[in-house]
Amino acid sequence: MSLQVKLSDYFYVMLFFYPLDFMIICPIEIAFFCDRYSEFEKINTEVLKVSVDSVFSHLAWVQTERKLGGLGNLHYPLVSDISKSISKAYNIHISNLGIALGGLFMLAAGSQKQQASSSKWHKRQASDDPAPSRKAVVQL
């Protein structure tokens, strides 16, 4: 299944990059955002998760239950950056590995303002709580 997504369709966008589907840390972070999606809706914010995986990998991951390392029911889109053009545009692509760093970009529609953070994917911790960042979008 393919869905065309334009950033201009949303007032605020939380663009979250992760390296690859089925990595142990990724489902924890993605589930965190999914379980709190209604909080993002209240502040007129769309969540988009991006990786270099194909739409087929995303589909398999969503169809796998959480208890088995999958995502289960997801309330927002996973974006396939198989061409790596998005991760390169946001300057978080690791060319020798062919993946993106974990990165979080808070974007405001019609504005050049954004807040960004990124980290080495192998140094992220399951306890990292991105919750404070979701409120930062309102300040843009």
Side-chain angles (χ1 to χ4, degrees), residues 44-83:
N44 198 17
T45 302
E46 182 57 81
V47 176
L48 300 175
K49 295 291 207 171
V50 184
S51 81
V52 297
D53 294 292
S54 71
V55 294
F56 304 108
S57 180
H58 288 342
L59 181 60
W61 206 21
V62 170
Q63 291 177 338
T64 303
E65 295 178 44
R66 283 188 185 182
K67 66 182 178 183
L68 299 175
L71 299 178
N73 188 25
L74 196 62
H75 302 295
Y76 54 84
L78 293 177
V79 178
S80 173
D81 184 25
I82 201 160
S83 70

Side-chain angles (χ1 to χ4, degrees), residues 31-127:
F32 176 89
F33 283 95
C34 185
D35 293 345
R36 291 158 183 82
Y37 186 71
S38 63
E39 294 177 41
F40 294 105
E41 287 182 313
K42 288 177 188 173
I43 58 172
N44 198 17
T45 302
E46 182 57 81
V47 176
L48 300 175
K49 295 291 207 171
V50 184
S51 81
V52 297
D53 294 292
S54 71
V55 294
F56 304 108
S57 180
H58 288 342
L59 181 60
W61 206 21
V62 170
Q63 291 177 338
T64 303
E65 295 178 44
R66 283 188 185 182
K67 66 182 178 183
L68 299 175
L71 299 178
N73 188 25
L74 196 62
H75 302 295
Y76 54 84
L78 293 177
V79 178
S80 173
D81 184 25
I82 201 160
S83 70
K84 300 168 182 62
S85 61
I86 303 170
S87 56
K88 287 177 181 176
Y90 283 87
N91 201 29
I92 60 169
H93 184 258
I94 306 171
S95 59
N96 64 325
L97 297 177
I99 60 174
L101 291 169
L104 176 64
F105 294 82
M106 308 292 285
L107 311 172
S111 173
Q112 295 297 319
K113 293 182 179 181
Q114 67 179 21
Q115 177 184 2
S117 66
S118 65
S119 63
K120 298 286 186 196
W121 62 274
H122 60 282
K123 295 189 180 198
R124 295 197 69 157
Q125 308 242 345
S127 62

